[in-house]
Amino acid sequence: MAYKWEKESLEKYGEEVTRNLIIQQEKYETVHKDNDCKHCGKGNEGAIIEFGNGTPFIMHYGLWSNGRCNFCGRISKN
């Protein structure tokens, strides 16, 4: 499976960093394996964000109100 950010990551950061980002995403998907919502669950591929020093990580955005997903209504603790 290719993530929407994978090609950009390969071009900008190389194979090793991209592999680590994929591992981060796979861990997120494992934690949310029973949640099919594309906004708060395993379908959320996130986006690449850089720390101030240029180190990339995956940020999972969503719309939550008091811990509840505004799309599916599920309460999220993560």
Side-chain angles (χ1 to χ4, degrees), residues 2 7 14 17-22 31 33-40 42 47 51 58-61 63 71 73:
K7 181 179 177 185
V17 171
T18 300
R19 191 169 29 256
N20 289 333
L21 293 172
I22 290 170
V31 169
K33 69 180 183 283
D34 296 327
N35 181 347
D36 288 332
C37 179
K38 69 178 184 175
H39 302 284
C40 72
K42 67 182 178 186
F51 288 112
I58 300 295
M59 172 68 83
H60 295 95
Y61 292 102
L63 292 172
F71 293 96

Side-chain angles (χ1 to χ4, degrees), residues 13 26 54-55 65 74:
Y13 305 111
E26 288 172 345
T55 303
S65 177
R74 198 178 290 232

Side-chain angles (χ1 to χ4, degrees), residues 2-64:
Y3 297 108
K4 59 186 174 189
W5 44 260
E6 196 170 336
K7 181 179 177 185
E8 174 189 350
S9 178
L10 281 168
E11 292 170 357
K12 189 170 183 179
Y13 305 111
E15 289 183 29
E16 184 178 349
V17 171
T18 300
R19 191 169 29 256
N20 289 333
L21 293 172
I22 290 170
I23 290 169
Q24 287 179 30
Q25 177 62 27
E26 288 172 345
K27 286 179 183 177
Y28 178 89
E29 290 172 4
T30 298
V31 169
H32 295 88
K33 69 180 183 283
D34 296 327
N35 181 347
D36 288 332
C37 179
K38 69 178 184 175
H39 302 284
C40 72
K42 67 182 178 186
N44 184 336
E45 292 186 13
I48 297 175
I49 304 294
E50 291 182 0
F51 288 112
N53 65 3
T55 303
F57 69 99
I58 300 295
M59 172 68 83
H60 295 95
Y61 292 102
L63 292 172
W64 289 273

